Amino acid sequence: MTNKETILIIDFGSQYTQLITRRVREFSVYSEIYSHKIDINKIKAIAPKGIILSGGPMSVYDEDSPKVDPEIFNLGIPILGICYGLQLICLNLGGEVVSAKNKEYGKSELEITGDSVLFEGVKKSSTAWMSHGDYVAKLPPAFDILAKSANSPFCAISDEVKNIYGVQFHPEVVHTEEGTKIISNFLFSVCKCTGNWNSHNFVEESIARIKALVGDKKAICALSGGVDSTVAAVLIQKAIGHHLICMHIDNGLMRKDESKTIASVFDEKLKLNIIHIDASELFLTNLSGVSDPEKKRKIIGKTFIDVFEKEAKKFSDVEFLIQGTLYPDVIESVSVKGASVTIKSHHNVGGLPDVMNLKLIEPFRELFKDEVRRVGRELGIDEELIARHPFPGPGLAVRVLGEITKERLDVLREADDIFISEIKKAGIYDNIWQAFAVLLPIQTVGVMGDARTYENVLALRAVNSLDGMTADWFRFDHDFLAGVSNKIINKVRGINRVVYDISSKPPSTIEWE
């Protein structure tokens, strides 16, 4: 942990916990999520400027409901409890929480009734987003009521002396009209943050830290050609210069012609000396007969590390492996009882073996995708490379559903290339956060010419998102989709049906596996 000012977010399982992090970071204040099981000494070591207790789906009275060390309220650190977090404050400090007869879900009218720095500049009456079945019936000693709603007499409370605040609503969601202002007040008026966390400072801190860590040893960067590994490689090169070895492993799971072009493009534009390793046969052999998505990820992760360690032995003093792991990867791969559950393991997180000869450096483990792009711009990387759509670590292995074969991969590559090419031709590539095709393990009847066909179904997926934590499907013009479908079916042998995915995240994930 660096000496940057930090807002610590303690997770109790809310679907909005990651959104709290985003809202805080939008004010150039660093924030990080920890489990409710975090040790009090860890909190002291982090020395956060403030603590936010998230919401959660359980009642504070449930037997296995997540709790927090009561000592947290005696640290002298400003605290904001949201929904479940508010109820925990009351439960621990002498208030009373009861089950509500009239539960509140959705929009409600918030009426401010007291004076507080938390509500400075906030309208006296506004819309707030509620999501709770319990409510505060009695205030803890020394607390004042700040606001109420129709079904919550103590909708916002505070102990202004100890700087402990609680709100029954969710200021982090867009449906809370004054939510952004409330969060801003907590950060700057209560916690006295300065908002100095930005890409420039991140680059300077990272270069200094990596330079001190690596010293005169060597590091290998797993250069896939995606945004994350590209920015990571340039950042590491700034820190250790010629001690960086960039290696691109062709795993046979890349998009059409991608591995062929990576070496020349990155050597010319970024002056990165790349070693190209063709391990496609090894990856496909290890994946033979495997259909389970979690097994695919584990196999790819292990094979990836095996190849890297083998190649690293050809160089002296190689001790470090650079990976472009992002914060959403870490969040989605963490499983904590009573809080966030594992959605899926990520190639950069869950696929690594317990014992590994190379030490990991993950410079972006704390960042979201849009923050990595800002770092890339700070480093002077061309927008053409920075604006590329995200591509999963396991590559097309998680876009060929079911068993992976070279033939099925080639079918998907051709179809995906047509889809992306048409998007670029239409001038809408930069309007979409991520677009790709998925080959389904389904065959359907079709007619081509006078012959009956029984071939594959292809799904098209395109979404808009800020950081990958939430996403909404992209609204293509119908004629565009019709044209893409027609071109794919006519040009790609093995596909006779194209469908478009109109699912958002949540409840669906962006990738299908």
Side-chain angles (χ1 to χ4, degrees):
M1 179 66 63
T2 67
N3 60 1
K4 59 179 174 286
E5 55 185 19
T6 299
I7 295 296
L8 182 65
I9 297 170
I10 298 183
D11 179 29
F12 298 97
S14 171
Q15 62 180 316
Y16 303 127
T17 299
Q18 293 81 24
L19 191 54
I20 301 171
T21 311
R22 291 294 335 189
R23 292 290 177 259
V24 173
R25 292 188 181 191
E26 284 169 6
F27 287 105
S28 297
V29 176
Y30 180 72
S31 62
E32 192 167 359
I33 300 170
Y34 279 86
S35 160
H36 64 92
K37 296 179 181 179
I38 184 173
D39 185 79
I40 200 73
N41 291 320
K42 175 70 172 177
I43 296 177
K44 291 177 181 178
I46 294 171
K49 297 283 285 186
I51 296 172
I52 298 179
L53 308 178
S54 84
M58 305 181 77
S59 167
V60 291
Y61 293 117
D62 288 345
E63 185 177 345
D64 58 349
S65 62
K67 299 296 191 293
V68 69
D69 189 330
E71 184 60 25
I72 197 173
F73 301 107
N74 298 321
L75 296 177
I77 299 172
I79 293 175
L80 173 63
I82 296 175
C83 196
Y84 185 91
L86 159 72
Q87 295 164 14
L88 272 181
I89 289 172
C90 291
L91 188 68
N92 281 277
L93 299 180
E96 184 180 350
V97 178
V98 300
S99 179
K101 291 182 180 179
N102 298 313
K103 304 180 189 305
E104 280 188 301
Y105 295 100
K107 293 180 180 180
S108 183
E109 197 69 18
L110 176 71
E111 184 182 346
I112 296 174
T113 57
D115 292 327
S116 170
V117 66
L118 189 68
F119 292 127
E120 187 177 349
V122 174
K123 291 190 295 187
K124 292 295 182 183
S125 181
S126 62
T127 301
W129 186 261
M130 302 286 187
S131 180
H132 64 100
D134 294 345
Y135 73 98
V136 177
K138 177 185 174 184
L139 287 181
F143 275 77
D144 295 315
I145 178 173
L146 300 179
K148 66 180 181 178
S149 70
N151 296 308
S152 295
F154 307 120
C155 200
I157 64 172
S158 72
D159 180 338
E160 303 280 339
V161 175
K162 289 187 174 181
N163 277 332
I164 299 176
Y165 300 82
V167 294
Q168 188 60 77
F169 56 92
H170 288 272
E172 69 273 24
V173 303
V174 294
H175 307 295
T176 296
E177 191 178 350
E178 297 277 43
T180 300
K181 183 62 179 175
I182 293 168
I183 292 173
S184 174
N185 285 341
F186 179 70
L187 297 178
F188 300 110
S189 299
V190 177
C191 299
K192 308 300 181 184
C193 292
T194 59
N196 63 355
W197 187 69
N198 53 48
S199 56
H200 177 74
N201 292 340
F202 176 86
V203 168
E204 286 192 337
E205 288 181 8
S206 297
I207 289 174
R209 186 173 65 249
I210 293 165
K211 189 179 294 185
L213 177 64
V214 177
D216 60 355
K217 304 297 183 183
K218 287 189 172 66
I220 291 183
C221 180
L223 191 58
S224 68
V227 174
D228 308 329
S229 65
T230 299
V231 179
V234 175
L235 178 68
I236 301 299
Q237 187 186 52
K238 294 272 188 186
I240 64 174
H242 68 276
H243 291 289
L244 173 66
I245 301 166
C246 289
M247 191 179 296
H248 172 69
I249 294 181
D250 181 358
N251 57 14
L253 305 169
M254 303 294 286
R255 289 168 286 205
K256 185 178 179 181
D257 296 330
E258 191 157 24
S259 285
K260 294 179 182 178
T261 59
I262 281 177
S264 59
V265 170
F266 282 75
D267 187 51
E268 291 171 10
K269 292 197 172 186
L270 300 176
K271 307 304 179 186
L272 297 170
N273 294 317
I274 300 176
I275 299 168
H276 189 281
I277 308 295
D278 186 354
S280 55
E281 286 190 17
L282 177 62
F283 276 85
L284 294 180
T285 297
N286 290 350
L287 287 166
S288 178
V290 178
S291 296
D292 180 79
E294 282 297 291
K295 287 182 179 177
K296 288 180 186 178
R297 291 176 182 272
K298 298 292 185 184
I299 289 169
I300 292 167
K302 184 178 185 309
T303 305
F304 171 79
I305 292 300
D306 288 346
V307 172
F308 253 80
E309 291 195 328
K310 178 183 175 183
E311 295 299 325
K313 289 176 182 176
K314 298 177 181 179
F315 302 90
S316 60
D317 297 328
V318 172
E319 290 191 8
F320 300 93
L321 169 64
I322 313 300
Q323 286 210 136
T325 308
L326 301 187
Y327 201 33
D329 299 340
V330 177
I331 294 169
E332 289 192 344
S333 298
V334 171
S335 179
V336 181
K337 185 180 184 297
S340 302
V341 298
T342 299
I343 299 170
K344 59 188 176 185
S345 67
H346 282 260
H347 166 58
N348 285 353
V349 182
L352 299 179
D354 295 330
V355 179
M356 190 174 66
N357 294 330
L358 296 175
K359 300 169 189 173
L360 266 182
I361 296 179
E362 298 171 305
F364 304 142
R365 191 177 176 87
E366 301 171 342
L367 302 188
F368 291 91
K369 176 71 75 174
D370 62 306
E371 292 169 338
V372 173
R373 287 195 167 106
R374 285 201 289 272
V375 169
R377 294 183 182 105
E378 179 70 27
L379 291 167
I381 301 174
D382 286 354
E383 193 65 26
E384 177 189 353
L385 299 174
I386 293 299
R388 295 193 74 194
H389 289 182
F391 188 64
L396 299 183
V398 291
R399 294 178 181 175
V400 171
L401 306 196
E403 186 177 356
I404 297 170
T405 65
K406 186 178 184 305
E407 291 71 28
R408 298 191 75 209
L409 286 166
D410 286 341
V411 168
L412 178 59
R413 269 189 271 266
E414 291 299 323
D416 185 76
D417 184 62
I418 290 172
F419 184 35
I420 300 302
S421 295
E422 290 300 304
I423 287 174
K424 290 179 177 177
K425 191 185 297 182
I428 55 176
Y429 184 84
D430 291 337
N431 299 337
I432 300 170
W433 194 75
Q434 187 174 13
F436 56 91
V438 182
L439 189 65
L440 307 187
I442 301 169
Q443 291 184 307
T444 63
V445 175
V447 178
M448 287 189 175
D450 295 324
R452 175 185 181 275
T453 63
Y454 192 60
E455 293 178 334
N456 297 291
V457 179
L458 183 84
L460 303 180
R461 179 81 158 137
V463 299
N464 271 335
S465 177
L466 180 64
D467 49 42
M469 299 307 303
T470 61
D472 193 19
W473 58 280
F474 185 79
R475 273 68 171 174
F476 283 112
D477 179 82
H478 290 183
D479 289 339
F480 174 85
L481 285 175
V484 170
S485 173
N486 185 59
K487 187 167 285 190
I488 289 173
I489 290 172
N490 284 327
K491 288 195 171 186
V492 183
R493 188 168 182 178
I495 295 173
N496 69 356
R497 192 177 300 269
V498 174
V499 298
Y500 184 54
D501 183 351
I502 60 169
S503 309
S504 295
K505 177 184 180 179
S508 303
T509 53
I510 295 176
E511 297 286 346
W512 279 45
E513 285 192 343

